[in-house]
Amino acid sequence: MNPVATPFFFYLLSATMIIGGILVITRKNAVHSAMALITALLAQAGIYLMLYAPFVAGVQIILYAGGIMVLFLFVIMLISIERTVKERQFNKQWLVGIAAAAALGGLFIAVYTKGKSLFPEGRVTYGEGQNVQDVAALLYDQHQGTYMFSFEIASLLLLVAIIGAVVMAKKRI
């Protein structure tokens, strides 16, 4: 007999994450969009827990749903909400957005079709007791640290986004 709860919670969390993502881009109020993003991030942390990755789920909740979203909400409150509500939501950059979405879709299709040759066939499995130590070894170990570069790139992108938001907020004050 197959377990019923695991697929149910997976689909529930996945639907919550998809609905939260749709609400992020469709809400006119920036604070409501940020709250929908927090909902999507918490649902993603729940999926990480289902995959037996409690460290990643904890980092997701503390760092992203907690710290980064507090910074985003601070910047949203720093920007004049009355002025941004009156501005036109969809400006003349829709052509660039469609081109970027098409390029990203082409990249997804290319990775999907050539995925077997891009990624190794083997699957890395770790015991649940050594989860934090194995994540640290994958990130920082001299011989095994293959994910350090992508970790640094992600932190650099977050830094640039925060600096850009502060510069935009300072220009309007």
Side-chain angles (χ1 to χ4, degrees):
M1 187 166 166
N2 292 330
V4 176
T6 304
F8 171 75
F9 284 117
F10 174 77
Y11 289 125
L12 177 72
L13 291 171
S14 299
T16 304
M17 200 163 50
I18 289 171
I19 290 170
I22 290 171
L23 288 175
V24 166
I25 61 174
T26 58
R27 298 292 96 195
K28 290 184 179 180
N29 190 344
V31 177
H32 294 166
S33 292
M35 293 310 219
L37 184 59
I38 290 173
T39 303
L41 291 173
L42 289 175
Q44 186 177 12
I47 290 178
Y48 287 149
L49 282 175
M50 289 181 65
L51 292 172
Y52 299 108
F55 175 74
V56 180
V59 167
Q60 178 78 16
I61 292 171
I62 293 170
L63 186 67
Y64 291 110
I68 300 297
M69 287 310 300
V70 166
L71 284 174
F72 285 167
L73 285 172
F74 175 73
V75 169
I76 289 169
M77 296 299 173
L78 190 63
I79 295 173
S80 175
I81 294 294
E82 294 83 23
R83 182 176 175 196
T84 57
V85 168
K86 293 177 184 174
E87 291 177 3
R88 188 173 172 184
Q89 184 176 5
F90 299 107
N91 55 18
K92 298 183 189 304
Q93 297 177 354
W94 61 271
L95 188 61
V96 176
I98 289 175
L104 186 63
L107 180 66
F108 285 157
I109 290 171
V111 168
Y112 181 73
T113 56
K114 298 178 184 178
K116 295 283 186 187
S117 63
L118 291 176
F119 300 110
E121 189 68 31
R123 188 177 203 187
V124 179
T125 58
Y126 293 112
E128 194 172 338
Q130 297 291 322
N131 194 4
V132 177
Q133 290 85 358
D134 292 333
V135 169
L138 283 173
L139 285 177
Y140 303 116
D141 192 16
Q142 190 174 22
H143 304 291
Q144 193 180 5
T146 56
Y147 297 108
M148 184 64 183
F149 182 69
S150 51
F151 183 73
E152 290 296 325
I153 292 296
S155 64
L156 184 67
L157 285 174
L158 285 172
L159 178 66
V160 168
I162 291 171
I163 290 173
V166 169
V167 167
M168 287 175 58
K170 189 164 178 74
K171 190 186 324 180
R172 293 184 178 177
I173 292 179

